[in-house]
PDB file of all heavy atoms in Angstrom:
ATOM      1  N   ALA A   1       0.833  -1.204   0.000  1.00 97.00           N
ATOM      2  CA  ALA A   1       0.000   0.000   0.000  1.00 97.00           C
ATOM      3  C   ALA A   1       0.872   1.261   0.000  1.00 97.00           C
ATOM      4  O   ALA A   1       0.553   2.241  -0.694  1.00 97.00           O
ATOM      5  CB  ALA A   1      -0.937  -0.002   1.212  1.00 97.00           C
ATOM      6  N   SER A   2       1.965   1.241   0.751  1.00 94.00           N
ATOM      7  CA  SER A   2       2.877   2.393   0.773  1.00 94.00           C
ATOM      8  C   SER A   2       3.523   2.611  -0.585  1.00 94.00           C
ATOM      9  O   SER A   2       3.646   3.754  -1.045  1.00 94.00           O
ATOM     10  CB  SER A   2       3.968   2.190   1.826  1.00 94.00           C
ATOM     11  OG  SER A   2       3.406   2.105   3.102  1.00 94.00           O
ATOM     12  N   ILE A   3       3.931   1.551  -1.232  1.00 94.00           N
ATOM     13  CA  ILE A   3       4.558   1.648  -2.555  1.00 94.00           C
ATOM     14  C   ILE A   3       3.553   2.172  -3.570  1.00 94.00           C
ATOM     15  O   ILE A   3       3.867   3.047  -4.384  1.00 94.00           O
ATOM     16  CB  ILE A   3       5.112   0.275  -2.988  1.00 94.00           C
ATOM     17  CG1 ILE A   3       6.304  -0.090  -2.113  1.00 94.00           C
ATOM     18  CG2 ILE A   3       5.504   0.268  -4.461  1.00 94.00           C
ATOM     19  CD1 ILE A   3       6.696  -1.547  -2.205  1.00 94.00           C
ATOM     20  N   LYS A   4       2.338   1.661  -3.534  1.00 96.00           N
ATOM     21  CA  LYS A   4       1.298   2.099  -4.459  1.00 96.00           C
ATOM     22  C   LYS A   4       1.017   3.593  -4.276  1.00 96.00           C
ATOM     23  O   LYS A   4       0.942   4.340  -5.248  1.00 96.00           O
ATOM     24  CB  LYS A   4       0.034   1.275  -4.240  1.00 96.00           C
ATOM     25  CG  LYS A   4      -1.054   1.539  -5.246  1.00 96.00           C
ATOM     26  CD  LYS A   4      -2.146   0.502  -5.117  1.00 96.00           C
ATOM     27  CE  LYS A   4      -3.307   0.765  -6.030  1.00 96.00           C
ATOM     28  NZ  LYS A   4      -2.996   0.646  -7.436  1.00 96.00           N
ATOM     29  N   ALA A   5       0.877   4.033  -3.030  1.00 94.00           N
ATOM     30  CA  ALA A   5       0.619   5.450  -2.754  1.00 94.00           C
ATOM     31  C   ALA A   5       1.802   6.319  -3.185  1.00 94.00           C
ATOM     32  O   ALA A   5       1.621   7.399  -3.761  1.00 94.00           O
ATOM     33  CB  ALA A   5       0.322   5.652  -1.273  1.00 94.00           C
ATOM     34  N   TYR A   6       3.006   5.844  -2.918  1.00 93.00           N
ATOM     35  CA  TYR A   6       4.203   6.592  -3.305  1.00 93.00           C
ATOM     36  C   TYR A   6       4.284   6.749  -4.824  1.00 93.00           C
ATOM     37  O   TYR A   6       4.513   7.850  -5.329  1.00 93.00           O
ATOM     38  CB  TYR A   6       5.465   5.896  -2.781  1.00 93.00           C
ATOM     39  CG  TYR A   6       6.728   6.518  -3.305  1.00 93.00           C
ATOM     40  CD1 TYR A   6       7.242   7.674  -2.739  1.00 93.00           C
ATOM     41  CD2 TYR A   6       7.397   5.967  -4.394  1.00 93.00           C
ATOM     42  CE1 TYR A   6       8.388   8.267  -3.244  1.00 93.00           C
ATOM     43  CE2 TYR A   6       8.538   6.541  -4.896  1.00 93.00           C
ATOM     44  CZ  TYR A   6       9.032   7.693  -4.317  1.00 93.00           C
ATOM     45  OH  TYR A   6      10.154   8.282  -4.823  1.00 93.00           O
ATOM     46  N   ASN A   7       4.085   5.649  -5.561  1.00 94.00           N
ATOM     47  CA  ASN A   7       4.169   5.718  -7.021  1.00 94.00           C
ATOM     48  C   ASN A   7       3.084   6.618  -7.603  1.00 94.00           C
ATOM     49  O   ASN A   7       3.332   7.351  -8.564  1.00 94.00           O
ATOM     50  CB  ASN A   7       4.101   4.318  -7.636  1.00 94.00           C
ATOM     51  CG  ASN A   7       5.412   3.575  -7.498  1.00 94.00           C
ATOM     52  OD1 ASN A   7       6.468   4.164  -7.276  1.00 94.00           O
ATOM     53  ND2 ASN A   7       5.356   2.260  -7.631  1.00 94.00           N
ATOM     54  N   GLN A   8       1.890   6.597  -7.029  1.00 95.00           N
ATOM     55  CA  GLN A   8       0.825   7.490  -7.493  1.00 95.00           C
ATOM     56  C   GLN A   8       1.190   8.951  -7.234  1.00 95.00           C
ATOM     57  O   GLN A   8       0.940   9.821  -8.076  1.00 95.00           O
ATOM     58  CB  GLN A   8      -0.497   7.157  -6.814  1.00 95.00           C
ATOM     59  CG  GLN A   8      -1.137   5.901  -7.333  1.00 95.00           C
ATOM     60  CD  GLN A   8      -2.440   5.569  -6.621  1.00 95.00           C
ATOM     61  OE1 GLN A   8      -2.739   6.110  -5.549  1.00 95.00           O
ATOM     62  NE2 GLN A   8      -3.209   4.663  -7.199  1.00 95.00           N
ATOM     63  N   ALA A   9       1.793   9.228  -6.089  1.00 93.00           N
ATOM     64  CA  ALA A   9       2.203  10.594  -5.773  1.00 93.00           C
ATOM     65  C   ALA A   9       3.289  11.072  -6.729  1.00 93.00           C
ATOM     66  O   ALA A   9       3.270  12.233  -7.176  1.00 93.00           O
ATOM     67  CB  ALA A   9       2.689  10.681  -4.329  1.00 93.00           C
ATOM     68  N   VAL A  10       4.229  10.203  -7.049  1.00 92.00           N
ATOM     69  CA  VAL A  10       5.293  10.581  -7.990  1.00 92.00           C
ATOM     70  C   VAL A  10       4.708  10.841  -9.373  1.00 92.00           C
ATOM     71  O   VAL A  10       5.073  11.817 -10.031  1.00 92.00           O
ATOM     72  CB  VAL A  10       6.389   9.493  -8.045  1.00 92.00           C
ATOM     73  CG1 VAL A  10       7.346   9.733  -9.195  1.00 92.00           C
ATOM     74  CG2 VAL A  10       7.152   9.448  -6.737  1.00 92.00           C
ATOM     75  N   ARG A  11       3.777   9.987  -9.816  1.00 93.00           N
ATOM     76  CA  ARG A  11       3.137  10.210 -11.126  1.00 93.00           C
ATOM     77  C   ARG A  11       2.389  11.531 -11.139  1.00 93.00           C
ATOM     78  O   ARG A  11       2.435  12.274 -12.126  1.00 93.00           O
ATOM     79  CB  ARG A  11       2.202   9.059 -11.467  1.00 93.00           C
ATOM     80  CG  ARG A  11       2.927   7.822 -11.954  1.00 93.00           C
ATOM     81  CD  ARG A  11       1.978   6.811 -12.564  1.00 93.00           C
ATOM     82  NE  ARG A  11       1.069   6.205 -11.602  1.00 93.00           N
ATOM     83  CZ  ARG A  11       1.334   5.101 -10.909  1.00 93.00           C
ATOM     84  NH1 ARG A  11       2.479   4.479 -11.065  1.00 93.00           N
ATOM     85  NH2 ARG A  11       0.457   4.625 -10.059  1.00 93.00           N
ATOM     86  N   ALA A  12       1.684  11.850 -10.060  1.00 93.00           N
ATOM     87  CA  ALA A  12       0.952  13.119  -9.974  1.00 93.00           C
ATOM     88  C   ALA A  12       1.920  14.304  -9.995  1.00 93.00           C
ATOM     89  O   ALA A  12       1.649  15.324 -10.642  1.00 93.00           O
ATOM     90  CB  ALA A  12       0.101  13.155  -8.711  1.00 93.00           C
ATOM     91  N   LYS A  13       3.040  14.172  -9.310  1.00 92.00           N
ATOM     92  CA  LYS A  13       4.050  15.240  -9.287  1.00 92.00           C
ATOM     93  C   LYS A  13       4.616  15.466 -10.689  1.00 92.00           C
ATOM     94  O   LYS A  13       4.745  16.606 -11.133  1.00 92.00           O
ATOM     95  CB  LYS A  13       5.169  14.866  -8.321  1.00 92.00           C
ATOM     96  CG  LYS A  13       6.285  15.870  -8.253  1.00 92.00           C
ATOM     97  CD  LYS A  13       7.385  15.390  -7.308  1.00 92.00           C
ATOM     98  CE  LYS A  13       8.570  16.312  -7.352  1.00 92.00           C
ATOM     99  NZ  LYS A  13       9.676  15.829  -6.534  1.00 92.00           N
ATOM    100  N   ILE A  14       4.930  14.380 -11.380  1.00 91.00           N
ATOM    101  CA  ILE A  14       5.475  14.494 -12.737  1.00 91.00           C
ATOM    102  C   ILE A  14       4.437  15.113 -13.668  1.00 91.00           C
ATOM    103  O   ILE A  14       4.757  16.002 -14.472  1.00 91.00           O
ATOM    104  CB  ILE A  14       5.931  13.108 -13.254  1.00 91.00           C
ATOM    105  CG1 ILE A  14       7.157  12.647 -12.465  1.00 91.00           C
ATOM    106  CG2 ILE A  14       6.232  13.147 -14.748  1.00 91.00           C
ATOM    107  CD1 ILE A  14       7.544  11.201 -12.719  1.00 91.00           C
ATOM    108  N   ARG A  15       3.182  14.666 -13.564  1.00 92.00           N
ATOM    109  CA  ARG A  15       2.115  15.217 -14.396  1.00 92.00           C
ATOM    110  C   ARG A  15       1.937  16.717 -14.125  1.00 92.00           C
ATOM    111  O   ARG A  15       1.796  17.512 -15.049  1.00 92.00           O
ATOM    112  CB  ARG A  15       0.827  14.447 -14.120  1.00 92.00           C
ATOM    113  CG  ARG A  15      -0.276  14.694 -15.091  1.00 92.00           C
ATOM    114  CD  ARG A  15      -1.465  13.743 -14.940  1.00 92.00           C
ATOM    115  NE  ARG A  15      -1.804  13.376 -13.565  1.00 92.00           N
ATOM    116  CZ  ARG A  15      -1.607  12.169 -13.047  1.00 92.00           C
ATOM    117  NH1 ARG A  15      -1.051  11.211 -13.753  1.00 92.00           N
ATOM    118  NH2 ARG A  15      -1.957  11.916 -11.796  1.00 92.00           N
ATOM    119  N   HIS A  16       1.988  17.103 -12.853  1.00 92.00           N
ATOM    120  CA  HIS A  16       1.850  18.512 -12.485  1.00 92.00           C
ATOM    121  C   HIS A  16       3.002  19.336 -13.059  1.00 92.00           C
ATOM    122  O   HIS A  16       2.779  20.442 -13.577  1.00 92.00           O
ATOM    123  CB  HIS A  16       1.797  18.653 -10.967  1.00 92.00           C
ATOM    124  CG  HIS A  16       1.754  20.063 -10.486  1.00 92.00           C
ATOM    125  ND1 HIS A  16       0.634  20.848 -10.642  1.00 92.00           N
ATOM    126  CD2 HIS A  16       2.692  20.845  -9.876  1.00 92.00           C
ATOM    127  CE1 HIS A  16       0.886  22.049 -10.136  1.00 92.00           C
ATOM    128  NE2 HIS A  16       2.129  22.068  -9.667  1.00 92.00           N
ATOM    129  N   GLU A  17       4.228  18.815 -12.960  1.00 89.00           N
ATOM    130  CA  GLU A  17       5.381  19.536 -13.505  1.00 89.00           C
ATOM    131  C   GLU A  17       5.292  19.672 -15.021  1.00 89.00           C
ATOM    132  O   GLU A  17       5.647  20.712 -15.570  1.00 89.00           O
ATOM    133  CB  GLU A  17       6.683  18.826 -13.117  1.00 89.00           C
ATOM    134  CG  GLU A  17       7.017  18.947 -11.652  1.00 89.00           C
ATOM    135  CD  GLU A  17       8.199  18.093 -11.217  1.00 89.00           C
ATOM    136  OE1 GLU A  17       8.694  17.271 -12.037  1.00 89.00           O
ATOM    137  OE2 GLU A  17       8.624  18.237 -10.063  1.00 89.00           O
ATOM    138  N   GLN A  18       4.790  18.636 -15.696  1.00 88.00           N
ATOM    139  CA  GLN A  18       4.629  18.708 -17.149  1.00 88.00           C
ATOM    140  C   GLN A  18       3.563  19.724 -17.531  1.00 88.00           C
ATOM    141  O   GLN A  18       3.738  20.488 -18.481  1.00 88.00           O
ATOM    142  CB  GLN A  18       4.272  17.329 -17.715  1.00 88.00           C
ATOM    143  CG  GLN A  18       5.413  16.352 -17.679  1.00 88.00           C
ATOM    144  CD  GLN A  18       4.996  14.942 -18.069  1.00 88.00           C
ATOM    145  OE1 GLN A  18       3.810  14.628 -18.124  1.00 88.00           O
ATOM    146  NE2 GLN A  18       5.982  14.091 -18.338  1.00 88.00           N
ATOM    147  N   GLU A  19       2.455  19.743 -16.801  1.00 89.00           N
ATOM    148  CA  GLU A  19       1.400  20.721 -17.064  1.00 89.00           C
ATOM    149  C   GLU A  19       1.900  22.135 -16.813  1.00 89.00           C
ATOM    150  O   GLU A  19       1.588  23.061 -17.566  1.00 89.00           O
ATOM    151  CB  GLU A  19       0.172  20.436 -16.208  1.00 89.00           C
ATOM    152  CG  GLU A  19      -0.562  19.184 -16.608  1.00 89.00           C
ATOM    153  CD  GLU A  19      -1.654  18.811 -15.629  1.00 89.00           C
ATOM    154  OE1 GLU A  19      -1.834  19.512 -14.605  1.00 89.00           O
ATOM    155  OE2 GLU A  19      -2.345  17.795 -15.875  1.00 89.00           O
ATOM    156  N   LYS A  20       2.672  22.298 -15.757  1.00 87.00           N
ATOM    157  CA  LYS A  20       3.218  23.613 -15.427  1.00 87.00           C
ATOM    158  C   LYS A  20       4.183  24.084 -16.520  1.00 87.00           C
ATOM    159  O   LYS A  20       4.166  25.229 -16.924  1.00 87.00           O
ATOM    160  CB  LYS A  20       3.946  23.538 -14.077  1.00 87.00           C
ATOM    161  CG  LYS A  20       4.392  24.848 -13.524  1.00 87.00           C
ATOM    162  CD  LYS A  20       5.003  24.656 -12.145  1.00 87.00           C
ATOM    163  CE  LYS A  20       5.539  25.936 -11.583  1.00 87.00           C
ATOM    164  NZ  LYS A  20       6.155  25.732 -10.269  1.00 87.00           N
ATOM    165  N   ALA A  21       5.020  23.150 -16.990  1.00 84.00           N
ATOM    166  CA  ALA A  21       5.972  23.489 -18.043  1.00 84.00           C
ATOM    167  C   ALA A  21       5.266  23.818 -19.358  1.00 84.00           C
ATOM    168  O   ALA A  21       5.637  24.765 -20.055  1.00 84.00           O
ATOM    169  CB  ALA A  21       6.964  22.341 -18.262  1.00 84.00           C
ATOM    170  N   SER A  22       4.211  23.070 -19.695  1.00 84.00           N
ATOM    171  CA  SER A  22       3.506  23.331 -20.940  1.00 84.00           C
ATOM    172  C   SER A  22       2.717  24.634 -20.861  1.00 84.00           C
ATOM    173  O   SER A  22       2.600  25.360 -21.847  1.00 84.00           O
ATOM    174  CB  SER A  22       2.576  22.175 -21.298  1.00 84.00           C
ATOM    175  OG  SER A  22       1.544  22.060 -20.353  1.00 84.00           O
ATOM    176  N   SER A  23       2.181  24.967 -19.691  1.00 81.00           N
ATOM    177  CA  SER A  23       1.460  26.245 -19.552  1.00 81.00           C
ATOM    178  C   SER A  23       2.429  27.422 -19.592  1.00 81.00           C
ATOM    179  O   SER A  23       2.080  28.499 -20.060  1.00 81.00           O
ATOM    180  CB  SER A  23       0.624  26.268 -18.266  1.00 81.00           C
ATOM    181  OG  SER A  23       1.465  26.310 -17.139  1.00 81.00           O
ATOM    182  N   THR A  24       3.643  27.233 -19.128  1.00 79.00           N
ATOM    183  CA  THR A  24       4.654  28.301 -19.177  1.00 79.00           C
ATOM    184  C   THR A  24       5.101  28.531 -20.617  1.00 79.00           C
ATOM    185  O   THR A  24       5.338  29.660 -21.017  1.00 79.00           O
ATOM    186  CB  THR A  24       5.873  27.910 -18.314  1.00 79.00           C
ATOM    187  OG1 THR A  24       5.424  27.538 -17.016  1.00 79.00           O
ATOM    188  CG2 THR A  24       6.836  29.074 -18.195  1.00 79.00           C
ATOM    189  N   GLN A  25       5.185  27.467 -21.406  1.00 75.00           N
ATOM    190  CA  GLN A  25       5.623  27.597 -22.801  1.00 75.00           C
ATOM    191  C   GLN A  25       4.552  28.261 -23.654  1.00 75.00           C
ATOM    192  O   GLN A  25       4.881  28.922 -24.624  1.00 75.00           O
ATOM    193  CB  GLN A  25       5.963  26.222 -23.377  1.00 75.00           C
ATOM    194  CG  GLN A  25       7.202  25.618 -22.792  1.00 75.00           C
ATOM    195  CD  GLN A  25       7.448  24.203 -23.299  1.00 75.00           C
ATOM    196  OE1 GLN A  25       6.606  23.641 -23.990  1.00 75.00           O
ATOM    197  NE2 GLN A  25       8.599  23.645 -22.962  1.00 75.00           N
ATOM    198  N   ARG A  26       3.296  28.124 -23.319  1.00 69.00           N
ATOM    199  CA  ARG A  26       2.198  28.730 -24.104  1.00 69.00           C
ATOM    200  C   ARG A  26       2.181  30.233 -24.005  1.00 69.00           C
ATOM    201  O   ARG A  26       1.710  30.910 -24.871  1.00 69.00           O
ATOM    202  CB  ARG A  26       0.858  28.178 -23.645  1.00 69.00           C
ATOM    203  CG  ARG A  26       0.631  26.746 -24.033  1.00 69.00           C
ATOM    204  CD  ARG A  26      -0.765  26.342 -23.648  1.00 69.00           C
ATOM    205  NE  ARG A  26      -0.721  24.933 -23.282  1.00 69.00           N
ATOM    206  CZ  ARG A  26      -1.584  24.313 -22.532  1.00 69.00           C
ATOM    207  NH1 ARG A  26      -2.617  24.987 -22.048  1.00 69.00           N
ATOM    208  NH2 ARG A  26      -1.483  23.058 -22.250  1.00 69.00           N
TER     209      ARG A  26
END
C-alpha cells in the first residue's frame, strides 16, 4: 500500500510539472 501510494504521488508530481511546463511555454 505504501509503494502504491508513493508511485501514485510521484506520477501526480510528474504530471503537475509537465502541465506547469507546458502552460509556461504557451
Side-chain angles (χ1 to χ4, degrees):
S2 298
I3 291 165
K4 186 169 176 66
Y6 172 80
N7 283 341
Q8 286 179 345
V10 169
R11 282 192 292 271
K13 178 182 174 184
I14 291 170
R15 192 170 37 251
H16 176 71
E17 289 172 352
Q18 289 172 346
E19 290 172 358
K20 188 176 177 181
S22 66
S23 69
T24 308
Q25 290 175 353
R26 289 185 213 158

